[in-house]
Amino acid sequence: MRIKHLDQDDVDVFRQIRLEALNRAPEAFASTAADWERLSTEEWRARLTANAVFVAFEDDRPLGIMGLMRERASRLAHRATIIMVYVRDEARGSGVARHLLAHLTNQARASGIRLLELVVRADNPAAIRFYTREGFREIGRVPGGMFDGEKEVDEILMARHIDGRDAPAGQGVPK
């Protein structure tokens, strides 16, 4: 497995894995496949270059994706939100998400980010366990923060400092 930080020339790979994620796990995301399918190639490229996007590959086949959206305001620029997290069913439990998160964390730290944040559905215990194992802590909850059809689902806000505070053992790029 290899992890690649995508660049503007990787828009086709980005489109492929992002649409797969939105179609195979629609309940996991605030956006829908329809939201993204109507984007032009230039809009795809702009979204790709506005954020750091990492994809895990087995040979040339994408297995998972994870993005990092940095805050733009100067007083918040030490913070970033983890976005677009998806791992193919057959690769879950194999360490793909852990490898993606480690690469993303190292990139974030190198660019001066000190605090990683994320939002996870309260009805996704596997994701909550993963993030907790990786040192994230619940910092809040948005009751009914997401609609799933007509059903309201709570969102859990989680955060982790990556500047040495609250660091889990073995933090860094896995071997």
Side-chain angles (χ1 to χ4, degrees):
M1 175 182 47
R2 70 181 168 93
I3 307 292
K4 182 174 185 196
H5 182 180
L6 300 185
D7 61 35
Q8 65 181 359
D9 296 331
D10 296 312
V11 70
D12 291 334
V13 170
F14 178 47
R15 182 185 293 119
Q16 174 192 350
I17 192 69
R18 180 66 173 146
L19 289 177
E20 176 183 313
L22 293 168
N23 282 303
R24 290 192 181 173
E27 71 287 345
F29 302 101
S31 297
T32 65
D35 294 336
W36 285 70
E37 286 167 344
R38 64 176 158 252
L39 299 178
S40 69
T41 299
E42 286 311 308
E43 288 174 284
W44 277 94
R45 189 170 282 115
R47 290 183 186 209
L48 174 59
T49 57
N51 302 299
V53 178
F54 298 85
V55 171
F57 290 89
E58 186 67 47
D59 299 319
D60 289 330
R61 192 173 74 108
L63 298 175
I65 184 172
M66 191 176 287
L68 186 67
M69 182 174 64
R70 187 174 193 156
E71 293 288 340
R72 304 279 183 236
S74 60
R75 291 184 177 172
L76 303 178
H78 67 289
R79 296 168 52 189
T81 302
I82 296 173
I83 58 173
M84 298 187 290
V85 178
Y86 168 75
V87 175
R88 283 189 167 162
D89 287 342
E90 67 269 18
R92 290 187 183 163
S94 69
V96 169
R98 189 172 56 84
H99 283 274
L100 282 165
L101 181 59
H103 278 77
L104 178 144
T105 300
N106 287 340
Q107 170 72 27
R109 192 179 289 115
S111 66
I113 292 168
R114 299 173 59 180
L115 182 66
L116 293 178
E117 303 169 24
L118 60 90
V119 176
V120 63
R121 288 172 59 123
D123 62 356
N124 188 346
I128 294 166
R129 281 191 306 272
F130 168 73
Y131 292 123
T132 300
R133 276 193 315 270
E134 294 299 319
F136 287 85
R137 300 292 174 252
E138 182 174 336
I139 59 169
R141 185 178 284 253
V142 180
M146 182 184 286
F147 275 116
D148 191 353
E150 294 298 314
K151 176 184 168 191
E152 290 185 8
V153 178
D154 290 0
E155 291 181 309
I156 295 175
L157 310 174
M158 301 183 87
R160 174 180 142 198
H161 282 95
I162 59 171
D163 59 355
R165 293 181 269 176
D166 302 287
Q171 185 181 59
V173 177
K175 296 189 177 20

